[in-house]
């Protein structure tokens, strides 16, 4: 109660400001601001004035403007504040999810650093959402407006980046609608903050803006260096080759045992994931021809990329001597790992046999700092024949782009994951597949086809440009020796 009140009114209700708030002072000291009569009584009650005070008594309350002038539109103000906070919290959820994924599972150090940056951005967005409630309220915190501005800037940069990445990648599904919605929300938020001049109160605004810009440039440069530049200037060094050893004749002189060294190791700075490997040994029967082969045959061989010998004529169909893998599909080679393999090929050594023995090997891998094969890849083998039957009946034909109907095959396939969470949520899912084809006919040589596909059935083959982000590389090597030289080397 106002006991002993002086002649001058102690309570003064000032005229509303631009947002409809009316300053309330008591005995010359500000005690709060009010949106409405109900809010005014709440302010006075907190100041120690009882709820039964007569607001119409000029001896108690002096009004500096019409007592009925309360221009605040609470529903519109609260709707704007809620809409701003919801947009900031949605952006925070996106940033926290991306950041947490990358901090835990990014394939590069730079990716994990950027994950931490995204988590920091999520915290900024949460703080901005809290500040939005105060900014569209009574603005008790001095810098609530600049904090909201910073949150909207972060949301605008990230949503536009995600939208551009997904649109340029040609992926029209997934979360594209969310990035578009966030971009539209950012346009509204920018308009709302401009209307309220929310940046007022920032000390040294030019220095603040310059610091934010420089931090963004440094962060982007660090990400580009660690995630993009470094992998390209540090290509994988994977020695891959096949060499013959000293052959040995069996006791009956009917077979040559030819050692072969298949070299496959990682001497580079980055780990690799093996998608598939194959090696084969093939016998090519041939005979010497004094006149030499005709020029058309010779240039055709050269044009097809084969070694061409003018005085050697191949006399029959080839036959497979041996075939196998160098290492298992899905194996990981860390720097310094050596998966080289020694095999021994048995070659017929009868007098009537002449020709060449060819060793062919192929491997395909992706860089572990650009992509990762799903753990299910190792156990994903599917066969074209009935593996539970002794007769191994043929059950399915290969795709037409891969082999002829009736050829046997087995396939490994699994999801391949990109190096960062940003790429995973803005780009379509891809699948890695490795096919081993065993053509019909006793003399047909098995071959391997490896690629990255856009669908789970691995029927659509992506272009080299679409596979490049995974750092996929296929290496092939071959070596051949005339049987005559092998026999001579085996002679005591």
């Amino acid at each position: 109660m106002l006991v002993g009140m002086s002649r001058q009114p102690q309570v003064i209700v000032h005229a509303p400001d631009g947002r409809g708030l009316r300053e309330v002072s008591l005995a010359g000291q500000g005690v709060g601001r009010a949106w409405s009569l109900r809010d005014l009584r709440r302010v006075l009650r907190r100041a120690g004035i009882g709820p039964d005070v007569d607001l119409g008594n000029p001896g108690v309350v002096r009004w500096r403007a019409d007592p009925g002038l309360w221009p605040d539109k609470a529903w519109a103000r609260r709707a704007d504040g809620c809409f701003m906070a919801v947009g900031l919290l949605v952006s925070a959820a996106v940033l926290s999810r991306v950041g947490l994924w990358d901090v835990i599972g990014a394939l590069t150090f730079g990716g994990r650093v950027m994950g931490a940056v995204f988590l920091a951005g999520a915290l900024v967005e949460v703080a901005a959402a809290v500040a939005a409630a105060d900014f569209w309220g009574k603005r008790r915190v001095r810098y609530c407006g600049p904090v909201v501005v910073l949150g909207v800037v972060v949301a605008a940069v990230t949503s536009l980046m995600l939208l551009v990445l997904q649109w340029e990648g040609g992926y029209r599904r997934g979360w594209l609608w969310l990035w578009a919605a966030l971009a539209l929300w950012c346009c509204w938020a920018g308009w709302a903050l401009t209307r309220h001049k929310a940046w007022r109160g920032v000390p040294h605004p030019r220095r603040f803006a310059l610091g934010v810009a420089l931090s963004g440039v440094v962060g982007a440069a660090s990400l580009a260096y660690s995630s993009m530049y470094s992998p390209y200037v540090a290509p994988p060094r994977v020695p891959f080759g096949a060499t013959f050893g000293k052959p040995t004749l069996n006791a009956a002189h009917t077979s040559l045992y030819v050692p072969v060294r298949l070299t496959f190791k990682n001497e580079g700075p980055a780990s690799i994931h093996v998608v598939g490997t194959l090696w084969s040994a093939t016998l090519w029967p041939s005979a010497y021809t004094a006149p030499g082969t005709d020029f058309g045959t010779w240039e055709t061989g050269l044009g097809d990329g084969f070694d061409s010998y003018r005085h050697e004529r191949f006399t029959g169909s080839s036959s497979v001597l041996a075939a196998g893998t160098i290492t298992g599909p899905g194996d990981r080679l860390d720097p310094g790992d050596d998966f080289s393999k020694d095999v021994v090929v048995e070659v017929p050594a009868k007098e009537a046999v002449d020709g060449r023995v060819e060793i062919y090997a192929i491997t395909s891998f992706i860089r572990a700092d650009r992509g990762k094969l799903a753990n299910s890849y190792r156990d994903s083998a599917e066969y074209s024949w009935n593996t539970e039957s002794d007769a191994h009946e043929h059950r399915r034909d290969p795709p037409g782009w891969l082999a002829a109907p009736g050829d046997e095959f087995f396939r490994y396939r699994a999801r391949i994951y990109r190096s960062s969470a940003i790429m995973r949520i803005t780009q379509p899912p891809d699948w890695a597949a490795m096919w081993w084809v065993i053509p019909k006919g006793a003399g047909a040589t098995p071959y391997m086809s490896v690629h990255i596909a856009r669908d789970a059935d691995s029927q659509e083959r992506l272009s080299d440009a679409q596979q490049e982000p995974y750092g996929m590389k296929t290496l092939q090597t071959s070596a051949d020796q005339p049987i005559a030289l092998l026999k001579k080397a085996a002679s005591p």
Side-chain angles (χ1 to χ4, degrees):
M1 302 295 295
L2 300 176
V3 181
M5 180 183 295
S6 63
R7 292 182 181 180
Q8 297 298 326
Q10 288 187 324
V11 178
I12 299 177
V13 181
H14 297 266
D17 62 12
R19 298 194 304 136
L21 270 174
R22 303 189 70 163
E23 185 76 25
V24 181
S25 60
L26 179 62
Q29 298 292 327
V31 293
R33 292 174 293 174
W35 297 107
S36 61
L37 283 174
R38 181 179 180 181
D39 197 21
L40 174 61
R41 290 187 178 278
R42 187 182 301 113
V43 171
L44 293 177
R45 188 163 55 250
R46 286 199 300 265
I49 298 176
D52 56 345
V53 62
D54 184 4
L55 298 179
N57 185 353
V60 178
V61 180
R62 176 181 294 176
W63 296 85
R64 293 287 176 86
D66 184 355
L69 185 60
W70 299 98
D72 174 50
K73 297 180 179 179
W75 64 269
R77 173 174 53 82
R78 290 168 182 167
D80 287 349
C82 288
F83 192 43
M84 180 67 71
V86 167
L88 290 167
L89 290 176
V90 170
S91 178
V94 172
L95 290 176
S96 61
R97 183 174 183 180
V98 172
L100 188 61
W101 278 358
D102 278 347
V103 164
I104 296 175
L107 302 181
T108 63
F109 175 75
R112 301 201 175 200
V113 170
M114 287 308 299
V117 172
F118 276 108
L119 286 179
L123 294 177
V124 171
E125 299 287 67
V126 172
V130 174
D134 185 48
F135 184 76
W136 267 268
K138 295 186 177 180
R139 300 183 182 177
R140 295 184 175 89
V141 179
R142 179 179 179 184
Y143 296 123
C144 61
V147 172
V148 177
V149 172
L150 180 59
V152 171
V153 169
V154 172
V157 171
T158 54
S159 61
L160 288 176
M161 176 187 66
L162 294 170
L163 180 61
V164 170
L165 280 175
Q166 186 158 344
W167 187 267
E168 287 297 320
Y171 188 36
R172 301 294 185 263
R173 293 176 292 174
W175 296 101
L176 181 64
W177 63 270
L178 179 58
W179 321 141
L182 279 174
L184 292 175
W185 173 86
C186 288
C187 294
W188 170 85
W191 169 80
L193 293 175
T194 301
R195 184 163 58 94
H196 290 282
K197 294 182 173 55
W199 54 84
R200 287 179 176 176
V202 177
H204 310 294
R206 292 184 179 179
R207 294 181 183 179
F208 175 78
L210 181 60
V212 172
L214 287 178
S215 300
V217 170
V218 171
S222 300
L223 174 64
Y225 176 80
S226 59
S227 299
M228 299 172 63
Y229 178 74
S230 293
Y232 279 93
V233 299
R237 294 194 300 272
V238 182
F240 186 68
T243 54
F244 285 90
K246 180 177 172 55
T248 302
L249 277 167
N250 66 352
H253 286 204
T254 56
S255 296
L256 278 169
Y257 296 105
V258 182
V260 176
R261 175 71 171 177
L262 301 168
T263 301
F264 183 34
K265 52 187 176 181
N266 186 0
E267 295 181 352
S271 301
I272 61 175
H273 294 290
V274 178
V275 183
T277 60
L278 176 145
W279 71 271
S280 63
T282 306
L283 174 62
W284 297 89
S286 64
Y288 173 76
T289 174
T293 57
D294 61 273
F295 184 75
T297 302
W298 186 57
E299 68 176 356
T300 300
L302 289 177
D304 292 339
F306 298 107
D307 296 331
S308 186
Y309 305 98
R310 289 297 305 275
H311 295 280
E312 186 175 17
R313 179 173 56 86
F314 292 99
T315 58
S317 60
S318 63
S319 60
V320 180
L321 301 175
T325 61
I326 301 174
T327 186
D331 284 350
R332 176 185 173 112
L333 273 74
D334 293 319
D337 285 349
D338 188 349
F339 281 12
S340 299
K341 183 176 182 179
D342 292 305
V343 298
V344 178
V345 178
E346 185 175 2
V347 181
K350 295 180 181 179
E351 293 297 331
V353 176
D354 202 0
R356 290 178 175 270
V357 175
E358 180 190 35
I359 304 296
Y360 170 78
I362 181 173
T363 183
S364 186
F365 57 84
I366 61 172
R367 292 183 59 137
D369 55 357
R370 293 200 203 171
K372 181 182 182 298
L373 289 170
N375 294 332
S376 61
Y377 186 74
R378 293 171 180 261
D379 303 319
S380 64
E382 299 178 16
Y383 299 87
S384 64
W385 61 87
N386 186 357
T387 57
E388 298 179 357
S389 169
D390 293 337
H392 288 183
E393 299 91 353
H394 181 78
R395 294 197 301 184
R396 55 184 294 199
D397 289 334
W401 56 263
L402 178 69
D407 287 349
E408 302 289 1
F409 70 90
F410 62 85
R411 175 185 66 183
Y412 286 79
R413 66 169 182 174
R415 175 82 181 272
I416 182 172
Y417 295 96
R418 299 176 187 269
S419 59
S420 67
I422 293 178
M423 299 305 293
R424 293 177 197 171
I425 63 177
T426 59
Q427 302 300 309
D430 292 328
W431 295 72
M434 185 277 287
W435 306 74
W436 253 58
V437 179
I438 307 171
K440 293 180 295 186
T445 304
Y447 61 89
M448 184 182 76
S449 176
V450 175
H451 61 273
I452 297 174
R454 187 62 28 103
D455 68 322
D457 290 332
S458 305
Q459 294 177 354
E460 175 194 1
R461 304 194 70 182
L462 301 187
S463 65
D464 291 341
Q466 291 171 313
Q467 299 188 52
E468 174 60 27
Y470 297 105
M472 190 169 189
K473 192 168 186 178
T474 299
L475 302 177
Q476 302 181 60
T477 187
S478 63
D480 66 84
Q481 286 286 315
I483 293 179
L485 285 181
L486 294 175
K487 288 180 178 179
K488 184 177 180 179
S491 300

